[in-house]
Amino acid sequence: MLSIALMVAKDLRRRLRAPVGLIVMLIFPLVFAGMVGMAFGPSSGSGSGLPVVTILMVDHDEDLLSGVLQNATGNEEFSRQFDMVWIEEEDEARLMMENGEASALLILPENFTSDLLDGKPVTLVLIKNPAQSILPQVVEEMAGLLGVFLDTSVRILGEPLLAISETFEGVEDDSSLFPDNQVLVALTLQAAARIRPISRYVFPPAMVFDTVSEDDVTLATLLEASPADTVDDLRSRQAALAGDEELSDAAGDDDEFNIFAVLLPMVSLMSILFMGDNGMRDLLAEEKAGTLTRQFASPAGVGRVLAGKIILTLVICCAAMLILAVVGMALGWISTSISLVGSVLQVGAIALAATGMSSFIYGFARTDRAAATFQSALVMGMSMLGGSMVPYRQMPAFLQAVAPYTINYWGIRGLTDLTFRGLGAADVLQEAGVLLLIGALGITVGWWRLSRRYALGTKA
Amino acid sequence: MIRVDDLRKNYGQNKAVDGISFHAGTGEIFGLLGPNGAGKTTTISIISGLLEATSGTVMVNGQAMSPTASTVKKSMGVVPQETALYEELTARENLRFWGGLYDMSGARLRERVGEVLALIGLSDRADDAVKTYSGGMKRRLNLGLGLIHEPQVLLLDEPTVGVDPQARLSILDVIRAAARKGTTVLYTTHYMQEAEELCHRLAILDHGKILAEGTVDELKKMVGEGEIVTVRGNFTAQQMHRALEGHPHVRTVSLEDRQAVLAVTGDGGSARLLQDLLGQALEVDGVNVRPPSLEQVFIKLTGRDLRD
């Protein structure tokens, strides 16, 4: 055992003297998760993973359609995602934009309603905040949709809308001008007559927008939802997932969606699988340098040398995950109150699975090039299918069926249970068990192949 | 002590080692001399427990050697042909690691590391990373790693390949010092001069077989040639040929105008040859007499040059 410890200590010291490769592998998941996470905001009260988009609105029209727009954007559902700030003076709005107080400024021009109803060209002015990248794009897309919607509405409902506009003209100042019931019914019938011919294209709608509350379905479940899922599907899946347990607030403060708690495990898994290669690849490096043969000639022999490399790989993977977890906690990406026992179990299982995969690969690969090709193909394939690149539920059904055959699937499932859902050790037993089995199998096959290869002889 | 009996190693139809036997005693430097592919490295790999022999036995200090014989391995130091070092670590760290693998620890290990560093002349660079060393320094450290645990048997596989003359002399001195302390040294090389200078006894190996074995002098006598005489002067090849006729102990190695290289056997043969040549009024400007070299022995035994 002492000689194995000596070998592991020696190899760790060698890595500390030339740490660039490992540092790059460690930085990769942090940078990647950071970039993606920051693009969508670390967390927000909107409950969707996107921060609230602030839009300044200047209304030079002050007529029917701008009023409708103002009322429509004031509803609760809309305001959870967009903060519409109506500013009276355009200069003031432009100054706020210069100060970076909003993602975009949308200006409704004078005679917006009348020009639209008269079929004249109307120009909406949109000023985007250049300091932001994604959110102004969201506003631009929304403004584009608004244009299409208004155009279509005016084409279909132009006459009734014009009639409504004329009927209600001056009502604000003189209530006696309010139309009687007969006029209102006539206006309604006129609008209904316009809608009826197109009703078979509009009803039932091709797309249904439904709202589920966080009490019913957590965002973790939504993230894993496939396009074919209905709200009821999500609700029943959530119920099955939650069981009788209360979800703790470990995923983030006040049950807010913390995108990093999902992203970091996803990307880390891919990185750890690549790191597993670093330990076992040393066999080929030492074989090339002659130090492997020299160790075989020592009393340590083949068995202890192989054990040393396997333990080294395990230590590297565990240390990498520990560092990622500590940095994740320091950055506030992972809650500090996650289950310690569960984390140790899951981290150990992932490290063993990564070691097993690497042992398996080096059991068959005899050259650096063969190993690198095999390793890259396997890690990238498993990362794609197992959810390290995109949540696996976003993939086609036949690919989803493959996901459970990957290390990433079980690793990410267990880690997000701990970091995101705030579950405990008992809840990751299945994931850890599968990973331990994969690891044990890989190590056994790798050991058998490697010890057989080296027992056949190595020349001095 | 090493004893090898009828050692064979086959790779399919290829006989890498074909029934060799020899022994090396305590404090003896035994050389295996042969060209590349002669079977030297395979032999040393079997003796060091890296390869399993097809048949035959290897006894080290009275114990049978095998890839799993860790007790035997503990008494041996192996210095491979390539510089098998950890380049990221320092010389001291390398020595400590290899010492640790041979169950050395604590004060004894620290003390021994210092001794070996002094022995190989690397004390002043002990804490520098090996990757900053010259080729000669790496070779010396490579040797030092094999000596760290004071082995009873030292196996060296061409340890001076590619080193400068100064480093080579230093390495040979360290090996001689180890042998003086009682270490049995098995040394493979294809450098004739090195084998002559260093080894107490030698085996000439080719195609997996030992062709001859003995001390350097014994080997030279085996080929039956006493001395090599080079004669230079104002004579033609024809004149020299006539002058040599009737000399029973002289064999012409090469003959041309103004120079003849002759192999002379028998006690006082060279002196008699010179008297005869001078007696025949040949104009001789210079004579060089030297004993035969191992190279000539090798050519005689194998029919080819060692460099072929």
Side-chain angles (χ1 to χ4, degrees), chain A residues 270-288:
Chain A
M270 185 161 67
S271 181
I272 292 300
L273 291 182
F274 274 121
M275 274 191 207
D277 178 68
N278 190 285
M280 292 306 288
R281 183 176 288 189
D282 214 28
L283 276 175
L284 292 182
E286 287 217 45
E287 195 175 333
K288 206 171 170 183

Side-chain angles (χ1 to χ4, degrees), chain B residues 90-96 109-128 130 133 137 140-145 147-148 170 174:
Chain B
T90 65
R92 194 186 301 282
E93 287 167 340
N94 268 283
L95 287 164
R96 286 186 67 84
L109 178 58
R110 271 197 301 279
E111 191 184 315
R112 182 62 187 154
V113 167
E115 284 171 15
V116 172
L117 284 168
L119 188 68
I120 58 177
L122 288 176
S123 298
D124 56 335
R125 297 287 306 274
D127 297 312
D128 292 345
V130 171
Y133 286 10
M137 291 164 78
R140 280 185 279 158
L141 179 59
N142 196 38
L143 174 61
L145 298 185
L147 292 167
I148 183 70
S170 164
V174 172

Side-chain angles (χ1 to χ4, degrees), chain A residues 147-214:
Chain A
V148 173
F149 173 74
L150 288 172
D151 182 59
T152 311
S153 302
V154 168
R155 283 171 196 276
I156 296 166
L157 300 168
E159 280 183 38
L161 283 173
L162 195 60
I164 291 168
S165 177
E166 286 168 356
T167 305
F168 284 89
E169 199 169 333
V171 169
E172 262 184 42
D173 302 324
D174 185 358
S175 59
S176 64
L177 294 176
F178 197 87
D180 59 25
N181 289 347
Q182 272 186 318
V183 174
L184 289 176
V185 169
L187 286 172
T188 307
L189 289 173
Q190 191 183 1
R194 285 305 184 99
I195 291 170
R196 194 171 297 117
I198 61 162
S199 62
R200 69 191 184 98
Y201 302 108
V202 179
F203 306 112
M207 191 188 295
V208 175
F209 181 77
D210 202 346
T211 306
V212 287
S213 76
E214 288 180 26

Side-chain angles (χ1 to χ4, degrees), chain A residues 17 286 294-296 460, chain B residues 42 45 50 73 86 93 142:
Chain A
R17 298 277 160 82
E286 287 217 45
R294 198 167 200 160
Q295 286 177 87
F296 291 162
Chain B
T42 305
S45 296
L50 291 169
K73 284 182 175 180
Y86 293 109
E93 287 167 340
N142 196 38

Side-chain angles (χ1 to χ4, degrees), chain A residues 3 6-7 10 13-14 17-18 286 288-291 293-301 454 456-460, chain B residues 11 41-42 45 50-51 70 73-74 78 80 82-86 88-89 93 97-98 100-102 142 145-146:
Chain A
S3 55
L6 274 172
M7 288 177 207
K10 171 261 299 174
R13 188 174 289 130
R14 286 170 57 217
R17 298 277 160 82
E286 287 217 45
K288 206 171 170 183
T291 45
T293 307
R294 198 167 200 160
Q295 286 177 87
F296 291 162
S298 78
Y454 292 128
L456 284 177
T458 328
K459 277 195 181 182
Chain B
Y11 292 103
T41 299
T42 305
S45 296
L50 291 169
L51 276 178
S70 58
K73 284 182 175 180
K74 209 176 277 183
V78 179
E82 66 268 73
T83 49
L85 310 167
Y86 293 109
E88 309 88 345
L89 305 183
E93 287 167 340
F97 169 68
W98 290 103
L101 279 193
Y102 285 87
N142 196 38
L145 298 185

Side-chain angles (χ1 to χ4, degrees), chain A residues 404-458:
Chain A
Y405 296 99
T406 65
I407 293 173
N408 303 59
Y409 171 84
W410 296 102
I412 293 167
R413 236 175 80 147
L415 285 179
T416 47
D417 276 352
L418 296 164
T419 61
F420 187 76
R421 297 191 180 92
L423 302 178
D427 302 294
V428 294
L429 278 179
Q430 187 195 9
E431 287 84 353
V434 173
L435 290 168
L436 289 171
L437 192 69
I438 293 171
L441 208 64
I443 289 172
T444 306
V445 174
W447 182 287
W448 169 67
R449 291 277 308 176
L450 288 167
S451 55
R452 195 163 166 266
R453 183 196 304 169
Y454 292 128
L456 284 177
T458 328

Side-chain angles (χ1 to χ4, degrees), chain A residues 249-443:
Chain A
D249 61 353
D253 295 334
D254 305 317
D255 281 340
E256 283 182 0
F257 176 70
N258 181 0
I259 195 167
F260 295 114
V262 176
L263 279 175
L264 191 59
M266 280 169 67
V267 195
S268 294
L269 246 293
M270 185 161 67
S271 181
I272 292 300
L273 291 182
F274 274 121
M275 274 191 207
D277 178 68
N278 190 285
M280 292 306 288
R281 183 176 288 189
D282 214 28
L283 276 175
L284 292 182
E286 287 217 45
E287 195 175 333
K288 206 171 170 183
T291 45
L292 190 73
T293 307
R294 198 167 200 160
Q295 286 177 87
F296 291 162
S298 78
V302 175
R304 285 184 206 170
V305 174
L306 289 181
K309 292 299 176 204
I310 286 168
I311 292 171
L312 169 75
T313 310
L314 262 174
V315 170
I316 288 174
C317 291
C318 286
M321 293 197 72
L322 184 69
I323 291 169
L324 287 171
V326 169
V327 175
M329 284 177 185
L331 293 171
W333 295 359
I334 301 172
S335 165
T336 50
S337 59
I338 58 171
S339 161
L340 182 65
V341 179
S343 302
V344 169
L345 182 66
Q346 186 66 8
V347 164
I350 291 170
L352 195 84
T355 305
M357 191 190 81
S358 204
S359 304
F360 179 85
I361 288 168
Y362 283 90
F364 289 89
R366 284 172 177 267
T367 62
D368 267 340
R369 180 175 285 191
T373 308
F374 197 4
Q375 180 92 5
S376 301
L378 204 58
V379 173
M380 295 305 281
M382 286 207 297
S383 299
M384 206 161 64
L385 295 170
S388 276
M389 294 179 180
V390 286
Y392 84 99
R393 283 194 172 275
Q394 300 299 318
M395 292 191 290
F398 74 97
L399 288 180
Q400 286 185 34
V402 183
Y405 296 99
T406 65
I407 293 173
N408 303 59
Y409 171 84
W410 296 102
I412 293 167
R413 236 175 80 147
L415 285 179
T416 47
D417 276 352
L418 296 164
T419 61
F420 187 76
R421 297 191 180 92
L423 302 178
D427 302 294
V428 294
L429 278 179
Q430 187 195 9
E431 287 84 353
V434 173
L435 290 168
L436 289 171
L437 192 69
I438 293 171
L441 208 64
I443 289 172

